[in-house]
Amino acid sequence: MPIKLPSSSLPAFDVLSREGVSVMSADQAAVQDIRPLRIALLNLMPKKIQTENQFARLIGATPLQIELSLIRMSEHRTKTTAAEHMAEFYQPFQDVKDQKFDGLIITGAPIEHLPFNDVTYWDELREVMDWTQSNVHSTFGVCWGGMAMINYFHGVKKHLLDDKLFGCYRHCNLDETSPYLRGFSDDCVIPVSRWTEMRQDEIDAADGLKTLLGSEESGPCLVEDDAHRALYIFNHFEYDSTSLKDEYDRDVAAGVAINVPVNYYPNDDPTQKPLNRWRSHAHQLYGNWINKIYQTTPFDMEQIGA
């Protein structure tokens, strides 16, 4: 089944169509006698369109019909995406908070150096996280979004690093029986790009958390929070093949001190074309998440969160 995007004029519609991902318009979706899964993307990243493409690509690759909604923080205004794009495709959270969703993705944000309470939209994001418990069947917090959720619900702190964790790090499968890791190898490579970390001993000390993927070099990665019907991932399965290259080239051009991303370029040579070694596991994880939602979400959406 295809993914139903907010509009056929959304840039992701053409991008995914060219990649062979099955997409459909609202008119096409209306003639199918099934209930699509309603998945919302709370997009906190500055490059909105790139992030839309990345997550739509992953959640649109399953056999199920997905209806994607794009959400923004109500008062925060992005400076890096055209106002026309935001007005046409995004709804402020305050306009959708009476709705129910089968799934919600909360993205990362380039504000990890700030204490949570200093983030301008922290109060509304706290409202969003409370709202997930009554209006969302399953929530996926990504990078800073995951750090915010695990901090809010469990008090687990993020810690600043002396050096940026930057590159592709090998992670161990810590629970091969987890439905979220069905089909996973014993280890996998995941892109990492962050200045902060969550610590495994503090996650272990919190009630009800289970680490599913972790790395000796980059620490815990994927954490299940069953009580809050949530997953937290601190790294970037959704990244494009060139995402780390784009970050590296940006910093080099700006004269910012940055290490070559580890285990990314062949022979760690930035003149070479980077290799994507995470694509299959990225599709596996998000496909497993969508499947778990499909297996457990109520058919009557009014029962979500009951």
Side-chain angles (χ1 to χ4, degrees):
M1 289 290 182
I3 179 173
K4 176 190 170 187
L5 298 175
S7 167
S8 59
S9 59
L10 185 75
F13 194 98
D14 287 337
V15 171
L16 300 187
S17 295
R18 289 195 300 269
E19 294 179 3
V21 177
S22 183
V23 294
M24 65 162 44
S25 66
D27 291 340
Q28 291 173 300
V31 302
Q32 294 194 325
D33 190 21
I34 58 174
R35 180 174 91 70
L37 293 181
R38 298 197 69 206
I39 307 294
L41 177 68
L42 178 58
N43 192 350
L44 306 176
M45 291 296 286
K47 294 183 177 180
K48 306 292 186 192
I49 295 175
Q50 180 186 65
T51 304
E52 295 158 17
N53 294 343
Q54 290 170 344
F55 284 105
R57 177 183 297 120
L58 293 174
I59 66 174
T62 75
L64 304 172
Q65 186 189 127
I66 307 295
E67 180 181 313
L68 180 65
S69 299
L70 301 176
I71 301 175
R72 63 172 175 84
M73 304 310 294
S74 299
E75 300 302 323
H76 182 72
R77 294 291 184 268
T78 180
K79 300 177 182 178
T80 54
T81 302
E84 295 80 8
H85 181 88
M86 300 302 296
E88 182 174 0
F89 301 116
Y90 279 79
Q91 296 174 279
F93 168 69
Q94 297 301 327
D95 287 359
V96 304
K97 65 181 184 179
D98 291 334
Q99 300 180 31
K100 302 268 188 171
F101 292 91
D102 298 291
L104 170 70
I105 297 171
I106 301 178
T107 73
I111 49 176
E112 55 183 320
H113 61 289
L114 293 175
F116 291 118
N117 286 328
D118 289 350
V119 175
T120 57
Y121 50 78
W122 180 244
D123 286 343
E124 187 177 28
L125 187 60
R126 290 171 58 194
E127 183 183 355
V128 170
M129 291 186 284
D130 285 334
W131 169 82
T132 65
Q133 300 307 287
S134 58
N135 287 61
V136 179
H137 182 66
S138 180
T139 306
F140 208 146
V142 178
C143 199
W144 184 86
M147 294 179 181
M149 291 188 71
I150 200 172
N151 175 265
Y152 183 66
F153 287 129
H154 296 277
V156 179
K157 298 178 181 178
K158 63 180 173 70
H159 301 271
L160 287 171
L161 298 168
D162 293 331
D163 299 299
K164 186 178 184 179
L165 269 172
F166 190 46
C168 295
Y169 292 85
R170 190 161 292 280
H171 290 70
C172 293
N173 181 341
L174 302 177
D175 186 359
E176 61 186 21
T177 66
S178 169
Y180 299 110
L181 300 184
R182 187 176 295 113
F184 263 61
S185 305
D186 290 338
D187 64 9
C188 59
V189 170
I190 310 176
V192 180
S193 178
R194 50 182 164 84
W195 284 95
T196 53
E197 67 175 357
M198 312 306 286
R199 294 178 179 169
Q200 187 60 56
D201 60 335
E202 296 180 5
I203 292 173
D204 291 340
D207 290 335
L209 298 177
K210 178 189 290 186
T211 302
L212 304 180
L213 292 173
S215 167
E216 291 185 0
E217 297 175 281
S218 59
C221 170
L222 178 66
V223 178
E224 180 182 3
D225 182 357
D226 187 61
H228 293 94
R229 304 187 308 282
L231 289 175
Y232 314 131
I233 189 167
F234 309 128
N235 302 329
H236 290 284
F237 262 137
E238 80 281 0
Y239 266 10
D240 298 324
S241 299
T242 61
S243 293
L244 293 178
K245 172 180 166 36
D246 294 342
E247 292 182 26
Y248 176 72
D249 291 347
R250 176 201 64 200
D251 288 352
V252 169
V256 175
I258 185 66
N259 295 325
V260 174
V262 302
N263 195 31
Y264 177 56
Y265 296 104
N267 301 315
D268 291 329
D269 178 1
T271 67
Q272 301 294 310
K273 180 181 179 180
L275 300 175
N276 188 313
R277 293 189 292 273
W278 61 91
R279 183 184 297 114
S280 58
H281 282 102
H283 280 281
Q284 195 73 40
L285 176 62
Y286 281 88
N288 287 342
W289 177 60
I290 293 294
N291 184 57
K292 186 70 157 54
I293 291 174
Y294 174 73
Q295 297 290 339
T296 58
T297 194
F299 182 83
D300 179 0
M301 295 198 68
E302 290 307 309
Q303 297 301 312
I304 289 176

